[in-house]
Amino acid sequence: MNAEIIAVGSELLLGQIANTNAQFISKHLADLGVNVYYHTVVGDNAARLEEAIKIAENRAQLLIFSGGLGPTKDDLTKETIAKHIGKELVFDKTALASIEDYFVKTKRTMTENNKKQALVLEGSDVLPNDHGMAPGMFLKKDNRFYMLLPGPPKEIQPMFVKYGFPAIQKQMTSKDVIVSRVLRFFGIGESLLETKIEDLIDAQTNPTIAPLAGDGEVTLRITCKHDSVEEADKLIAKTEEEIFARVGEFFYGYEDTTLMNELSHILLKKNLTVAAAESLTGGLFQKEITGIPGAGNIFKGGIVCYTNEVKHQILQVKESTIKEHGVVSEQCAKELAENVARLLNADIGISFTGVAGPNELEGNPVGTVYIGIAKSGEPTKVEKLALSGTRAGNRVRSVRYGQYFLLKMLEDK
Amino acid sequence: MNAEIIAVGSELLLGQIANTNAQFISKHLADLGVNVYYHTVVGDNAARLEEAIKIAENRAQLLIFSGGLGPTKDDLTKETIAKHIGKELVFDKTALASIEDYFVKTKRTMTENNKKQALVLEGSDVLPNDHGMAPGMFLKKDNRFYMLLPGPPKEIQPMFVKYGFPAIQKQMTSKDVIVSRVLRFFGIGESLLETKIEDLIDAQTNPTIAPLAGDGEVTLRITCKHDSVEEADKLIAKTEEEIFARVGEFFYGYEDTTLMNELSHILLKKNLTVAAAESLTGGLFQKEITGIPGAGNIFKGGIVCYTNEVKHQILQVKESTIKEHGVVSEQCAKELAENVARLLNADIGISFTGVAGPNELEGNPVGTVYIGIAKSGEPTKVEKLALSGTRAGNRVRSVRYGQYFLLKMLEDK
């Protein structure tokens, strides 16, 4: 089955919001083995919406609409579809009761135009809205399926998962399942990784291998279509093995995991705690590690040492170090990592010092970064980076490299 | 002029990323008075991309493409356009030199397929890529404009602002200008704000008022179309005045500013420095303040005190405070703010302590947050919040409130 997702809303065309609904729906359709060939965004305009519907009917069997089901005059998705496919709009009693109920619950006053939201396409299956007022709809006509969903993410997402997805699944005739696995790599560029596995990508039929770069990391999505989940898993495992033989050293995890996530698992497993001293990264490493629930078990705390004064007075970096080597130096990174671990009584100290930009520092170009890792009982390691991004990008990538170095160090033991 | 934005990339159709490029471009085109009637997303497939181009040519004068300019076999945007409009691809010497330079700078190995990125449509204006390798292109053919931009946000955004936007502007013939102004509010919900200015929104024709909520703040965009910029500015100023009379107390800034940005201006103006002690926010406040170039002038540093041990030993919170009041308490927030200012020799100390979730702490429900602000020569203030979001949401909103409280405190003097 081929699908097209049509998002309706002028706010999308004005750039006020991104089309995250299409992303959400697409992800789920991919898991279902439904091919999505196009996303379309169109404004709150009946004529242009109808044009988009005609085009989509020529190239997709399943048309999924998001947005335009609200109470205002601008909302005209169902009216336009009704006119286009020759169906009436009728009041749905359950939807009307649920809207009335919603106003009672939220102690707000119901206006006349809110009733409009209970109008549905005649003959459609109504998809309840558990988080708002506008119900969704699912309708088959002339071998084509139309699914209408509300626009707000907090309404469309639970509605699609609970009612929309199963409704589509029921219509699927193929016994084939789509199984996919995402492999995540760090420390290798997209084109170098692709060059190393080019023959595998070229030879791909089933499973397929799709690379994607982002935020300094690269992912490969292996996707297999098969009538047996077990067989699909086996084929994917075989492809994975071939990939690992080429670039396994850069692999760090599966699916939606992150470097910080993997790092937190290994710290917890080894019962180790971390403390951080951050200069150019200004708290970003700590913000990420404390983003993990239960971070208290692996993270003691840390110090953002943005000035030389704090590096010296609080973090006890020697004055001679700052004078002779500067704060952007291997020696300073070493002392910061060692001292923060000692001061905060942690097993591991990690430090970040360098030049985020936009201006150079102590004669060091923007992007020069030193990352120190001090682990009790081992010699302190310092890694040097030469990054070439924006200020924000350099900060993020420094933190990613820090997570990666620490992860690899702990994995090796 | 009417435009259509065509994003190319299977990762969009698989739901791996959202089409934030279309949002970014659309926002800028709206400011320019260019109507965007459609966004299209199509995968890395030449035939379907060509179909999308044909459809767009029928309904738009300006076609803006994002993505598919990379070095891999999947990247086929320029190849498909070249074939469709009957143009050759030729090597651009400047782009090639810049690609080679990029590899020297980042000390990575250049592969043969990277050269492919220097191929451009013959006769097009090349848009330099200051943050990556693939150059953009701008071409006029048969009264239609084609702009090709790279996919990664960190490349397309600066390229469009610096080179793409001015190139389009040059082609505009209409004398009407669109002037818009964004007002940002914090501390008031979207529906309450809308209720307070409902009559203004209902009566709007030119200028128009468009509310938008996000991340705990609300913005209003006032837009005016006029043949004189001065007149448009006057009309906008009048509307703004009416809005300020109703909800001015919650206003904090214009356009793309942020609370942290406004806060940094006022700190710099008043020559004040800040230090932070963060428990539940885990470094997020510090990450944001150090995100501002030149942060060293207003920020000394801070301490992420994730454990009671660090609160007591490093930040010198009294044992009796922790015992009697707990760490989620007004008293603890007060001591943290005062002590971090003293220890780091800053004019202002700000502290965050509370329960981000998912579990309650010391009998306090998730969302209980205390924010302390200690300013030398003034009594320390502590504000209490009762938030109701996710762990990540509660952390972000706590930091926003901290910025807001401090900003309002400094504005008042």
Side-chain angles (χ1 to χ4, degrees):
Chain A
M1 196 189 279
N2 299 338
E4 175 156 348
I5 300 169
I6 301 176
V8 187
S10 298
E11 68 276 17
L12 289 156
L13 296 179
L14 288 167
Q16 291 172 345
I17 54 170
N19 190 7
T20 51
N21 289 340
Q23 181 189 10
F24 183 84
I25 305 283
S26 294
K27 219 179 209 167
H28 283 84
L29 291 181
D31 290 339
L32 207 54
V34 173
N35 295 311
V36 178
Y37 287 148
Y38 295 96
H39 293 170
T40 296
V41 177
V42 58
D44 301 315
N45 175 293
R48 284 193 286 272
L49 173 55
E50 194 168 3
E51 276 310 303
I53 296 171
K54 281 183 200 164
I55 289 167
E57 283 174 339
N58 277 326
R59 57 192 191 187
Q61 259 178 288
L62 168 63
L63 280 63
I64 300 185
F65 298 84
S66 73
L69 301 184
T72 78
K73 288 199 190 75
D74 278 355
D75 296 302
L76 33 75
T77 302
K78 64 191 172 195
E79 290 78 1
T80 307
I81 295 172
K83 190 183 144 224
H84 177 69
I85 62 173
K87 289 271 179 191
E88 294 292 316
L89 288 172
V90 293
F91 271 106
D92 182 71
K93 272 184 209 163
T94 319
L96 191 59
S98 140
I99 291 170
E100 284 163 352
D101 186 49
Y102 185 87
F103 276 94
V104 172
K105 255 200 234 156
T106 57
K107 290 184 187 138
R108 287 161 57 201
T109 318
M110 180 165 169
T111 61
E112 202 47 39
N113 53 3
N114 284 121
K115 274 194 192 164
K116 189 190 133 187
Q117 295 187 282
L119 284 171
V120 299
L121 288 164
E122 72 171 309
S124 64
D125 294 331
V126 175
L127 313 176
N129 190 337
D130 299 336
H131 299 268
M133 284 177 286
M137 285 153 256
F138 188 51
L139 180 77
K140 186 179 182 180
K141 180 158 190 287
D142 302 339
N143 274 324
R144 213 169 270 113
F145 296 94
Y146 301 81
M147 182 171 284
L148 286 69
L149 301 167
K154 65 168 188 165
E155 297 179 25
I156 190 173
Q157 293 186 7
M159 183 190 288
F160 186 73
V161 169
K162 196 164 171 191
Y163 307 108
F165 187 90
I168 295 166
Q169 202 168 20
K170 248 198 242 169
Q171 303 298 334
M172 307 277 296
T173 46
S174 160
K175 292 255 174 356
D176 274 357
V177 289
I178 304 276
V179 182
S180 77
R181 190 178 296 172
V182 174
L183 314 181
R184 309 189 80 90
F185 299 85
F186 189 87
I188 180 169
E190 186 190 14
S191 44
L192 184 55
L193 183 135
E194 279 197 50
T195 307
K196 283 179 182 280
I197 59 165
E198 205 171 10
D199 54 328
L200 299 179
I201 293 182
D202 283 349
Q204 66 182 358
T205 47
N206 192 27
T208 58
I209 306 169
L212 180 69
D215 238 4
E217 59 175 76
V218 190
T219 62
L220 292 176
R221 189 183 187 98
I222 311 173
T223 309
C224 187
K225 200 168 194 165
H226 209 285
D227 59 9
S228 144
V229 174
E230 288 71 32
E231 281 308 309
D233 278 338
K234 269 188 210 163
L235 287 168
I236 287 176
K238 200 170 153 274
T239 303
E240 180 181 303
E241 210 174 282
E242 286 168 340
I243 293 168
F244 281 175
R246 318 278 181 90
V247 289
E249 61 189 302
F250 302 101
F251 169 81
Y252 77 83
Y254 291 103
E255 305 306 331
D256 283 337
T257 192
T258 59
L259 282 164
M260 190 56 99
N261 209 17
E262 294 301 312
L263 181 56
S264 74
H265 292 330
I266 202 162
L267 286 167
L268 200 62
K269 202 175 112 194
K270 301 198 170 210
N271 200 20
L272 293 169
T273 57
V274 175
E278 300 189 65
S279 179
L280 88 154
T281 51
L284 183 54
F285 177 86
Q286 298 175 77
K287 178 231 151 189
E288 292 202 356
I289 198 165
T290 57
I292 289 165
N297 298 314
I298 53 168
F299 178 63
K300 289 273 185 168
I303 293 163
V304 177
C305 47
Y306 216 65
T307 57
N308 292 5
E309 191 186 339
V310 174
K311 285 185 187 78
H312 173 58
Q313 282 176 15
I314 310 282
L315 274 159
Q316 303 173 2
V317 173
K318 286 185 225 126
E319 256 183 63
S320 61
T321 299
I322 298 179
K323 224 180 223 164
E324 288 161 32
H325 303 277
V327 294
V328 183
S329 66
E330 184 177 335
Q331 189 54 34
C332 182
K334 182 173 177 288
E335 288 182 36
L336 285 171
E338 289 171 357
N339 297 356
V340 81
R342 195 184 61 244
L343 283 168
L344 274 70
N345 196 23
D347 302 308
I348 297 164
I350 186 165
S351 71
F352 299 85
T353 182
V355 196
N359 304 313
E360 57 167 45
L361 187 64
E362 298 175 348
N364 296 291
V366 170
T368 310
V369 178
Y370 292 88
I371 299 172
I373 300 179
K375 186 161 177 281
S376 54
E378 290 179 28
T380 299
K381 276 189 186 173
V382 178
E383 303 269 3
K384 186 183 179 183
L385 306 175
L387 304 175
S388 63
T390 58
R391 180 180 170 85
N394 287 339
R395 283 157 46 98
V396 171
R397 288 180 64 205
S398 298
V399 168
R400 292 283 169 281
Y401 271 102
Q403 294 162 348
Y404 179 71
F405 292 142
L406 184 49
L407 180 64
K408 287 291 160 184
M409 183 177 151
L410 296 175
E411 272 179 354
D412 286 351
K413 319 261 149 151
Chain B
M1 196 189 277
N2 300 337
E4 174 156 348
I5 301 168
I6 301 175
V8 188
S10 299
E11 67 275 19
L12 289 155
L13 297 178
L14 287 167
Q16 291 171 345
I17 54 171
N19 190 6
T20 52
N21 289 340
Q23 180 189 11
F24 183 83
I25 305 283
S26 295
K27 217 180 209 168
H28 283 84
L29 292 180
D31 290 340
L32 208 53
V34 173
N35 295 311
V36 178
Y37 287 149
Y38 294 96
H39 293 169
T40 297
V41 177
V42 57
D44 301 315
N45 175 293
R48 284 192 287 272
L49 173 55
E50 194 169 2
E51 276 309 306
I53 297 171
K54 282 184 198 164
I55 289 167
E57 283 175 338
N58 278 326
R59 57 191 190 188
Q61 259 178 288
L62 169 62
L63 279 64
I64 300 184
F65 298 84
S66 74
L69 301 184
T72 77
K73 290 207 181 69
D74 277 355
D75 296 302
L76 33 75
T77 302
K78 63 190 173 195
E79 290 78 0
T80 307
I81 294 172
K83 189 184 144 224
H84 176 69
I85 63 175
K87 291 269 179 192
E88 293 292 314
L89 288 172
V90 293
F91 270 106
D92 182 72
K93 271 184 208 161
T94 319
L96 191 58
S98 139
I99 291 169
E100 283 163 353
D101 187 50
Y102 185 89
F103 276 95
V104 171
K105 253 202 238 153
T106 57
K107 291 187 183 130
R108 288 161 56 202
T109 318
M110 181 167 169
T111 60
E112 202 45 41
N113 51 5
N114 285 120
K115 275 195 192 164
K116 188 190 133 188
Q117 294 187 282
L119 283 171
V120 300
L121 288 164
E122 72 173 308
S124 63
D125 294 331
V126 175
L127 313 176
N129 190 337
D130 298 337
H131 299 271
M133 284 177 284
M137 284 151 256
F138 188 50
L139 181 78
K140 187 180 182 180
K141 181 157 190 288
D142 303 337
N143 276 322
R144 211 168 272 113
F145 296 95
Y146 301 81
M147 183 172 281
L148 287 69
L149 301 167
K154 67 168 188 160
E155 298 179 23
I156 190 173
Q157 293 186 6
M159 183 189 288
F160 186 73
V161 169
K162 196 164 173 191
Y163 307 107
F165 186 90
I168 295 166
Q169 201 167 21
K170 250 199 240 168
Q171 306 295 337
M172 305 282 293
T173 48
S174 161
K175 292 257 178 338
D176 267 1
V177 288
I178 304 275
V179 183
S180 76
R181 192 179 294 173
V182 174
L183 314 181
R184 309 188 80 90
F185 300 85
F186 189 85
I188 182 170
E190 186 190 17
S191 44
L192 184 55
L193 183 136
E194 278 198 54
T195 307
K196 282 178 182 283
I197 59 164
E198 204 170 14
D199 54 329
L200 299 179
I201 293 181
D202 283 348
Q204 65 181 358
T205 47
N206 191 27
T208 57
I209 307 169
L212 182 69
D215 236 5
E217 60 176 74
V218 189
T219 64
L220 291 176
R221 188 185 190 97
I222 311 173
T223 308
C224 187
K225 198 169 195 165
H226 209 285
D227 59 9
S228 145
V229 174
E230 290 70 33
E231 282 307 310
D233 277 339
K234 272 189 208 159
L235 288 168
I236 287 176
K238 201 169 150 273
T239 303
E240 180 180 303
E241 212 175 280
E242 286 169 339
I243 293 168
F244 281 176
R246 318 279 181 90
V247 289
E249 60 187 303
F250 302 102
F251 170 80
Y252 78 83
Y254 292 103
E255 305 306 331
D256 283 336
T257 192
T258 58
L259 283 163
M260 189 54 101
N261 209 17
E262 294 303 312
L263 182 56
S264 73
H265 291 331
I266 202 161
L267 287 167
L268 200 62
K269 202 175 111 194
K270 302 200 169 210
N271 200 19
L272 293 169
T273 56
V274 175
E278 300 189 64
S279 178
L280 88 152
T281 51
L284 184 53
F285 176 87
Q286 299 176 77
K287 178 231 152 189
E288 292 203 354
I289 198 165
T290 57
I292 290 166
N297 298 312
I298 53 168
F299 178 64
K300 289 274 187 168
I303 292 163
V304 177
C305 46
Y306 216 65
T307 56
N308 293 5
E309 189 186 341
V310 174
K311 286 184 186 77
H312 173 59
Q313 284 176 13
I314 310 281
L315 274 159
Q316 303 172 4
V317 173
K318 286 185 226 126
E319 255 183 63
S320 61
T321 299
I322 297 179
K323 224 181 224 164
E324 286 162 32
H325 303 277
V327 294
V328 183
S329 67
E330 184 177 337
Q331 190 54 35
C332 182
K334 183 172 177 288
E335 289 182 36
L336 284 172
E338 289 170 356
N339 298 357
V340 81
R342 196 184 62 245
L343 283 168
L344 274 70
N345 195 23
D347 304 308
I348 297 164
I350 187 165
S351 70
F352 299 85
T353 182
V355 195
N359 303 313
E360 57 167 44
L361 187 65
E362 298 175 347
N364 296 290
V366 171
T368 309
V369 178
Y370 291 89
I371 299 172
I373 300 179
K375 185 162 176 284
S376 54
E378 289 179 29
T380 299
K381 277 188 184 172
V382 178
E383 303 269 3
K384 185 183 177 182
L385 306 175
L387 304 175
S388 62
T390 58
R391 178 180 173 85
N394 288 338
R395 281 156 49 99
V396 171
R397 288 180 65 204
S398 298
V399 168
R400 292 282 168 282
Y401 270 102
Q403 294 162 348
Y404 180 72
F405 292 142
L406 184 49
L407 179 65
K408 287 292 160 185
M409 182 176 152
L410 296 175
E411 272 177 356
D412 286 350
K413 319 261 150 153

